[in-house]
Amino acid sequence: MPGKLKVKIVAGRHLPVMDRASDLTDAFVDVKFGNTTFKTDVYPKSLNPQWNSEWFKFEVDDEDLQDEPLQITVLDHDTYSANDAIGKVYIDIDPLLCSEAATVISGWLPIYDTIHGIRGEINVLVKVDFFNDLNRFRQSSCGVKFFCTTSIPRCYRAVMVHGFVEELVVNEDPEYQWIDRIRTPRASNEARQRLIFLMSGELQRKIGLKVLEMGGNAVVGYLQCFDLEGESGLVVRAIGTACTLEKISTLTSASATHPSNSSPSKDMKDSPQAAPSTLGCRSTHSSPVHSASGRLSQGFSVSVPTLLFAGMGSGGSAGKEAGPLKALLRQQTQSALEQREYPFFTLTSFPPGFLLHVGGVVSARSVKLLDRIHNPDEPETRDAWWEEIRQEIKSHAKALGCHAVLGYSESTSICEEVCILSASGTAAILGSRFVQDGPLDTDYRLSRQPLVFSTGAERVEGDMGSSASLGFEEVAPPGCGFCHIPYDELNIPFPAQLTYCYYCRRFKVPDVLFTTIDLPTEANVTGKGCLIQARLCRTKKKAQGEGNATAISNLLPFLEYELHTQLMNKLKLRGMNSLFGLRIQISVGETMLLGLASATGVYLTALPSPGRIQIAGKTPSDITYEQHISNMQKKINDTIAKNKELYEVNPPEVVEEMIGSPIPEPRQRSRLLRSHSESSDEVTELDLSHGKKDAFVLEIDDTDAVEDIHALLTDSPMPPGFYSCNTEIMPGIQNWTSAIQMFTSVRVFRLNNANLTNQGLNKIFSDLCENLLKSLYFKLRSMIPCCLCHLNFTVAVPEDELIQVAVTAVAMSFYKDQTLENGRQSGDKTLIKAITENDEQLQFNLELNAESSSSNPLSSTKGLSDVSGSHPSARAPPVDYSSFADRCSSWIEQLRLKAHTIRRGSVKTTSSLEKASPLPEGRSRSLQSNRSYSGSSVTVVKMTPLSFIPGAKITKYLGIINMFFIRETSSLREEGGVSGFLHTFIAEVFAMVRAHVAALGGNALVSYSMKECVFMENPNKNQAQSLINVSGDAVIFVRESELEATSVQPQSAATRETSNGGDGT
Amino acid sequence: MSVELDVFVGNTTIMDKEVFQLWLNGYTVSDAVKVRIEGGIMEECEANAEVLLSDTMDQYRTFQMCERLLHHPAKLSNQLLFQIPPDRQAMLIERYYAFDDAFVREVLGKKLSKGTKKDLDDVSAKTGIMLKSCRRQFDNFKRVFKVVEELKGPLVENIQQHFLLPDQLGRDYAAIVFFASNRFETGKKKLQYLTFQDFAFCAGQLINHWTVGAVDNMMDDMDVDLDKEFLQDLKDLKILITDKDLLDQHKSLVCTALRGKTNVFNEMEANFKNLSRSLVNIAAKLINAKDVRDFFIDLVEKFIEPCRSDRWTSIDVNLYLTHYTNSAHILDTFKHHGVWTRYMGVIKSCILRIYH
């Protein structure tokens, strides 16, 4: 009996009127866990009952603690007839099972009914007395921490990254059971909600077990999905990255306030070793492919002539054919990785030294026919499907000379009985530090040996240098290292043009780089990034069964190819050369296929500037035709020029002779770069670089090309003051204010005209997305200058002629005067690179040193850099702590005067968390006073899809929030039609998420995502139903200004952050 | 092709002040879009009509969802559905409960009943305020009235506490409630020149000085009803006009004091008895509920109009009323000083306010 769950029901408020006669309610509460139920007394005739119950105690197994949700039902007592349910609250008690997460759940939680929505609130107290069971054969995995965040959580340090964990559980969908014909919609919805809660609990427990087996203590980048397969069942599956995390003690460690909190300690020796045996993560289902008998099970591969690599690999030995030393080094990490079945990582950003080289995007799709799941206890079929796909991904990665896949994710699209399974990731080569299981320090030392230099082999040197540590920056700057090709240049797995790295000039880089990960924090970027979307719609004939599946799998390669071409064109149109956070979603409907690819375009300094887009006609006979083409060409050229200006893409002019000398003196390079970025009037000269490359030719005779050009030119530019990206951070913007606004927007579009051409459909789909974006810009205009970060589009074809697009993102304001600083920043950065020594922890200090030593026209900057640099560190400039307070106030004074001219924050593109935001004192004060004045009883809970909160520091992770809700109505018109219905539902879901975060003691939900938003309607019957699944990490954050007040130690750059953000969440 | 569903939900509920005002004013979505387009917002934000329509619809929907919370503003601050910053909440409440002076003049002192509500289309036609907006304002009055009607304690504070209204708006609502429950006549032609603020001022005076709560805060009764005892006592003031000697004495005292201080002295002297009779008669009649209703019409007909026809300036009126009030205290046989002060204090400030 390892756990005792204690529940106390305190009070209710805002209850609905259940008794029409008295306009009151006689409420009581049913508290259920597992099979045990307790009841409170009836609190008669009140809408605000005060039960103040005793502590209800449940003595349960820890297995049940993990699987079962606590179910609280509020009912209205009725003497003569059956008691009416008012609504329910499901509480996931998982956060209470981990010592480092929450300790109590206490607060007002909305009472939810699937038909009526939120009906009042209930105040509960939940605690767990937990006796940890060390039984080796246990089935529970209490204590394993789960994070949705796809990077190492901010107050932890990764000791070891173990690798991929996955699990799936299946069950029959209660909505499709025979009993559903006789029960009420409410009962059916509740059965479904409860089942999914149970299944998620079970799934989490099983994943936890695997993590323990691997010797880890946490899952990062936990991604759980539902496949509503209809008749054939319900699948809940999850993937994640098992890690061993160590908590960074908050105020004593300098690294806690370092911009890249995730940076691990140098001292690896004291890290606990992993369990000696790294068992494959899939120990349970070892049975091989288990194909649905007699059914079609068709995979497909497509090889597109660029970096989006989805073809079958050709042996995949490329990496090993390189120089012997390199091979040796690789083998070390590789062997570590090869012990694992899947060297996959769901993370998208990494601690320094983790990622060495990026190969490109790998993806695999497979079309399957769904079959009824006969035995829920044996989910082999679904398992086998995913296994196939993962194997394919693995072999693609190999073909790219890579031994790992990063930013890995899986998704499905289901239409009737056809299901497309997709997986994608970024093939990469990893550093040895986090992944190997052998004795760590030996390897570590080995890789740092100066022996590297004596080999003379250029490539080896680079690999060794960057893999060893950041200490050898002079050898391979981390700002470009990841761009260097991992595959053998003589054995390129796909057509690509290689050039020498434009940053270090020593290693080969591809001309374009596509990835699914976030932009590495240390990457050198020119200008800003922007969201790039490729949208495609293809008609399909209605078909059944295998025919349908075949038709779809025949269409897929073309779809993927075209999406890719579109992405490429749009990238070039913006004058950029790489894509990050690429996410391709393909959705099936009965009569069409939708493809949406989103990514953030970036100009990587290390990569060559993109070639020009040239339009060519096949038959240049007609003069008007020629004219037309040249017009178009001009338009395109103009757009490119305009875009370059907008995104400040003004790469440094290449000095040709540099190619001859492979190892330029770093200082010289940095000065060179600096001088370029400081002068912004060089944009016009840039076209020169186009001439040197093969232009990207679009042949206009091709109808597809016409379409492409059309699509290219119809993308309307963002209104001034707006930027957008789909990654965690926006390259080129750092100085965020604390105003953030997370939102979800959903649109459903009806195609009235059944027989549309592909082109027509395309246009409609593209317009739909564009208009949605335009609406967002308009809505959020008060936040200008602002960036829409982590823009996540989800498309679906809920019905024959419907297209649904859902967007979730966060709008974050930033301070305007940034543009002036860009030049300085890149200059600084390179300068720092040049002088930085081994200890990357000190980088922050150093750069500030650099800054204050560089000639700065502003007198106040000196003072500022002193504060920000005053980490407790030997290298920090001397600061007189006693006079700190005085200085503080005078700085604030100065800031108020010079807010526009002071360079703020660090130069790193990392977490903008630390970036200061000098809100004028007056305003922030008024905000604060406003808030304290009102005495509102509701905690403000911020929500963001990002892993951080600007201007604040996350001090504690309270646990994962993973909630699933169903809402149904049979009075659609009365509830404001479809829009009114969904609007209310989404608002209710947000409210419930916020309430649960607050009850855990948190004030924010980070890494929020809405993974499922299914909407079905039947206007004729006045009915609608919707399902929403949301998840994220509940955290406590502290404003940096507040930290400042409480801690004696001055924090970095936080002095100026004073707003409490009362105006945006 | 049509947009079937279009929603935007922010973690912090986004509410546009301008659109909120249009919604409050009763504009339909399409009219609101027109107004916004005319306002030049499209050029400002590079938007198009489609975007504007979508935004307006979305905002309207949000307001509709919020409206039920605005009916009980206290709920707005502890509800969980919408995360609205406190300053925004205050703005929403203030604007929702704001009313048009033109509208309130029409219903001031009327019973807040269904019958009155039915006549709102006439009010709408007369004032040019949209019917929807009229209804909202009327319902607000009624809601506030219903809530505070049964509450003990000071009226203004009760209103402010329950509806979280700013100071001035709370006072205005107190006036509306006070007028509605005492059914003061305000609609007669002769009273048309008076603004709502004139009445609100008078209501404030009456609430502060003539109600039960005015004398004793601990009393269970509330501010809405006039102090019956006081009204009873007012009858005693009749002695000032019924006793010939007293009247003459009073007149001579006032005239002595006024002589040489005003251009309209002759008129004052000539009218003294008439005016004094009027004021005392008004006082004596206040015990009848029906005459309470006519309080303002009486003041205007019996005092203000005569003065106005004699071209008194408001300085003259002030002077006259000051001496008229003070002189009564010097009268030997006049005993009701307390009641007199309480009565005349309010009468004087009310008359001064509405004498224009």
Side-chain angles (χ1 to χ4, degrees), chain A residues 40 88 101 105 119-120 139 157 192 339 413 429 472 488 496 562 598 612 621 732 827 839 979 983 1018 1021:
Chain A
T40 66
K88 280 192 158 82
I105 294 173
R119 304 174 97 188
Q139 284 301 298
R157 154 171 82 206
R192 235 173 154 192
Q339 283 176 31
S413 168
I429 290 191
F472 288 83
D488 189 355
E562 278 178 47
S598 310
R612 172 162 64 123
S621 51
D839 199 345
S979 295
H983 193 146
N1018 190 341
K1021 285 189 177 171

Side-chain angles (χ1 to χ4, degrees), chain A residues 415-431:
Chain A
C415 176
E416 301 285 305
E417 48 181 358
V418 176
C419 173
I420 302 184
L421 312 181
S422 316
S424 71
T426 305
I429 290 191
L430 306 184

Side-chain angles (χ1 to χ4, degrees), chain A residues 259 734 825 844 847-848 903-911 914-916 1053:
Chain A
Q734 284 104 33
Q825 282 184 4
F844 193 60
E847 73 205 16
L848 286 155
R903 162 187 139 59
R904 59 185 67 88
S906 117
V907 291
K908 279 202 143 194
T909 41
T910 349
S911 71
E914 302 294 316
K915 304 303 176 275

Side-chain angles (χ1 to χ4, degrees), chain A residues 172-183 372:
Chain A
E172 267 185 275
D173 192 337
E175 184 103 339
Y176 295 89
Q177 281 164 349
W178 66 268
I179 193 159
D180 202 53
R181 290 167 202 276
I182 53 168
R183 66 180 163 191
R372 189 174 262 286

Side-chain angles (χ1 to χ4, degrees), chain A residues 137-273:
Chain A
F137 303 103
R138 61 186 180 161
Q139 284 301 298
S140 72
S141 56
C142 297
V144 174
K145 296 178 281 289
F146 283 80
F147 300 93
C148 294
T149 303
T150 57
S151 55
I152 302 301
R154 300 258 155 178
C155 44
Y156 289 92
R157 154 171 82 206
V159 172
M160 174 87 87
V161 182
H162 300 280
F164 191 60
V165 278
E166 54 75 40
E167 185 62 80
L168 68 79
V169 290
V170 297
N171 211 315
E172 267 185 275
D173 192 337
E175 184 103 339
Y176 295 89
Q177 281 164 349
W178 66 268
I179 193 159
D180 202 53
R181 290 167 202 276
I182 53 168
R183 66 180 163 191
T184 61
R186 175 182 281 121
S188 179
N189 291 339
E190 281 174 4
R192 235 173 154 192
Q193 279 192 172
R194 192 181 134 69
L195 178 71
I196 289 185
F197 261 107
L198 264 170
M199 287 168 79
S200 328
E202 185 191 341
L203 196 69
Q204 223 167 305
R205 174 174 59 83
K206 285 185 170 170
I207 291 242
L209 276 173
K210 288 184 175 178
V211 172
L212 290 175
E213 223 170 282
M214 293 166 87
N217 64 5
V219 182
V220 181
Y222 184 67
L223 175 74
Q224 186 191 289
C225 294
F226 299 95
D227 297 331
L228 301 167
E229 295 184 351
E231 289 281 324
S232 57
L234 185 63
V235 176
V236 186
R237 57 192 163 80
I239 54 175
T241 306
C243 294
T244 303
L245 297 184
E246 198 177 85
K247 201 160 172 35
I248 301 168
S249 46
T250 14
L251 289 170
T252 51
S253 161
S255 64
T257 53
H258 192 273
S260 55
N261 279 343
S262 49
S263 66
S265 146
K266 276 283 169 187
D267 197 10
M268 301 290 278
K269 282 170 208 153
D270 55 5
S271 59
Q273 287 298 310

Side-chain angles (χ1 to χ4, degrees), chain B residues 117-183:
Chain B
K117 198 174 176 182
K118 271 182 197 146
D119 298 335
L120 285 182
D121 33 3
D122 297 337
V123 176
S124 168
K126 191 176 164 192
T127 56
I129 297 162
M130 289 195 200
L131 183 59
K132 233 180 170 178
S133 177
C134 290
R135 290 217 175 106
R136 185 196 91 242
Q137 298 181 35
F138 182 82
D139 288 341
N140 284 344
F141 296 164
K142 196 170 171 182
R143 194 175 318 111
V144 175
F145 182 85
K146 281 246 155 132
V147 168
V148 296
E149 196 181 29
E150 302 302 323
L151 287 176
K152 295 165 187 173
L155 184 60
V156 179
E157 274 170 46
N158 277 341
I159 292 175
Q160 280 172 358
Q161 217 165 13
H162 274 83
F163 291 92
L164 307 176
L165 298 179
D167 207 49
Q168 184 54 48
L169 198 54
R171 282 173 206 287
D172 288 350
Y173 266 92
I176 293 163
V177 169
F178 186 73
F179 267 67
S181 72
N182 288 295
R183 310 275 302 282

